[in-house]
Amino acid sequence: MQLHIYGNIRKESDMLEKHYKDTFERISSEKRERILSTAIDEFSSNGFDRANVNVIARKAGISIGLIYRYFDTKEDLFLTCLDYSFETLESVISSTISSETDPLTMAEKLIRAIQFHSRENSKFTQLYNEITGDSKSEYVDMLADKIEGISAKAYTAVIENAKQQGLVREDC
C-alpha cells in the first residue's frame, strides 16, 4: 500500500506499521540517525513535495540506491521521519512523567520538557508545521491527532495521578 500525501489517506492503524524495509533495521544506529536527521532537515525545510530524495542521500553520505534499499518510496521515508519524531517526543514525556509523583510538580516538569524538546528539536516542529499547515493535505487531521494525543495522554496521566492522591476532584 502506498501513501499519497495529497491523495488517498491511510487509516490511523496503517500509520502504526513500520514504513521501512528490514535492511534499515540492520544498519548501524549512527547511520540510521544520520539518514533520518538528514531527511527531517530536507522535509522540514522544503515540505514533502519539494523535498528531494537525491539530496537526502547525498547529504547523508549514501547512494540513492541505498535509500531505496531501506524505503520503498519517498512517502515511506517521510512517514519513518514522522514516527521517529513522535517516538522522540513520547520518550521525553515518558521520562518526565515517570520521574515525579507530585502532580503539580509533574505538570510543571511536563510543560517545561515539552517546551525544551520543541526548542532542541525545532526541525520536528517545522516538519509538523509544514505538513499540518498545508490545507490541501487530507492527512492533517490524523497527524494532528497523533502528535497532540501524545501530550494529551501525558496530561491525562497527571490528572489521574492527582485524583488518586485526592488532590483533584473525581469529576475532573
Side-chain angles (χ1 to χ4, degrees):
M1 175 188 292
Q2 284 191 5
L3 169 71
H4 301 284
I5 298 301
Y6 300 113
N8 298 330
I9 186 167
R10 279 188 171 185
K11 294 179 271 181
E12 186 169 352
S13 60
D14 292 338
M15 287 287 295
L16 300 176
E17 66 189 42
K18 72 177 191 175
H19 307 288
Y20 51 85
K21 297 177 184 177
D22 291 340
T23 54
F24 190 61
E25 293 177 339
R26 291 193 292 265
I27 63 176
S28 70
S29 60
E30 183 234 72
K31 190 173 186 178
R32 275 194 309 272
E33 293 278 332
R34 187 174 67 240
I35 292 167
L36 292 175
S37 176
T38 304
I40 288 168
D41 285 349
E42 179 71 7
F43 286 124
S44 66
S45 298
N46 298 306
F48 178 81
D49 285 335
R50 293 182 315 278
N52 188 315
V53 178
N54 289 321
V55 170
I56 294 168
R58 182 178 41 80
K59 287 182 177 180
I62 63 172
S63 70
I64 187 72
L66 276 179
I67 287 282
Y68 287 108
R69 197 166 170 215
Y70 304 142
F71 306 95
D72 283 326
T73 64
K74 176 179 166 180
E75 292 90 350
D76 284 341
L77 173 56
F78 172 75
L79 288 172
T80 301
C81 290
L82 284 175
D83 288 343
Y84 177 75
S85 68
F86 294 151
E87 287 172 12
T88 303
L89 177 59
E90 286 174 333
S91 175
V92 167
I93 289 173
S94 176
S95 66
T96 301
I97 286 181
S98 66
S99 68
E100 186 64 50
T101 57
D102 172 49
L104 292 176
T105 304
M106 189 185 316
E108 179 183 352
K109 285 184 175 184
L110 184 59
I111 291 167
R112 290 181 190 275
I114 291 171
Q115 289 174 333
F116 181 78
H117 171 76
S118 294
R119 278 192 304 273
E120 289 295 306
N121 297 287
S122 61
K123 293 290 184 180
F124 293 163
T125 304
Q126 286 176 313
L127 183 64
Y128 174 72
N129 289 339
E130 174 66 31
I131 300 311
T132 58
D134 188 345
S135 61
K136 295 184 303 182
S137 178
E138 297 174 30
Y139 200 50
V140 171
D141 291 338
M142 186 175 19
L143 291 173
D145 287 349
K146 174 113 173 135
I147 196 164
E148 291 166 8
I150 293 169
S151 56
K153 286 178 190 173
Y155 291 120
T156 300
V158 169
I159 293 169
E160 289 302 319
N161 185 350
K163 283 181 186 180
Q164 290 173 359
Q165 293 183 32
L167 300 172
V168 174
R169 292 187 335 249
E170 284 295 319
D171 62 336
C172 287

